[in-house]
Amino acid sequence: MTQQSWSGPLPHPDMLAKYEDILQGGAERIFRMAERESEHRMKMESDQLASDSSLAMRGQWIGLAAVLASLCLAGYMAYLDEAVVAAVIAGLNLVGLAGVFVYGGLRRRAAQRHMQDTDDEGAE
C-alpha cells in the first residue's frame, strides 16, 4: 500500500518512522494522542447514551402521570354524571396514547432505514 492511498487514524508507518527520527518518542506520543482521543470519544458517546436513557425514562414517567391524571379526571366526571365529558376525556387520552406509540414506531423505523442507508453508503 502506498503512502498516498493510506487511510486511518494514524499516519502511514513510514511517516511514523520519520516522526521518530525527528523527535525521539514522537511515534509513541502520536499513539498516545490517538488512544486518548479514542477514549474521550467513547466516554462522550457513553455519557450521551446515559443522558438519552435518563431523558426517555423521565418522559415515560411524566407521560404515565399525565395519563393517570386524565383518567382520574374522566372517572370523576363520570361520577358527576357527565358521561359525555368523561368519554371525551378518556377518548382523547386513548387517541393520544395510540398516537405516541405509532409516532415512536415510525421514528424507530426511519432511524433504522437511515442507519441502513448510512451503512450501505459506507460499504461502497
Side-chain angles (χ1 to χ4, degrees):
M1 177 177 293
T2 66
Q3 192 169 343
Q4 291 175 342
S5 66
W6 180 261
S7 132
L10 295 171
H12 188 275
D14 293 340
M15 288 299 293
L16 280 174
K18 290 179 183 177
Y19 279 113
E20 192 64 36
D21 290 342
I22 294 170
L23 176 65
Q24 186 68 27
E28 176 63 29
R29 290 171 68 178
I30 291 171
F31 276 106
R32 275 196 313 245
M33 181 182 67
E35 288 169 350
R36 282 193 310 268
E37 175 61 31
S38 178
E39 288 169 3
H40 173 71
R41 182 184 45 77
M42 287 186 284
K43 181 170 182 343
M44 294 293 288
E45 289 174 358
S46 176
D47 290 349
Q48 183 65 47
L49 285 172
S51 174
D52 290 349
S53 177
S54 174
L55 185 62
M57 184 64 74
R58 189 176 319 130
Q60 288 174 348
W61 281 110
I62 291 171
L64 176 65
V67 166
L68 291 177
S70 64
L71 286 177
C72 286
L73 179 61
Y76 181 68
M77 296 311 287
Y79 173 76
L80 295 178
D81 288 330
E82 296 290 341
V84 173
V85 174
V88 168
I89 292 171
L92 288 174
N93 203 6
L94 291 174
V95 168
L97 280 173
V100 165
F101 284 109
V102 169
Y103 178 71
L106 291 174
R107 280 189 49 163
R108 272 191 301 279
R109 276 186 243 128
Q112 287 172 345
R113 275 195 302 272
H114 177 72
M115 291 294 287
Q116 190 174 34
D117 291 346
T118 304
D119 289 345
D120 291 346
E121 288 174 7
E124 293 176 356

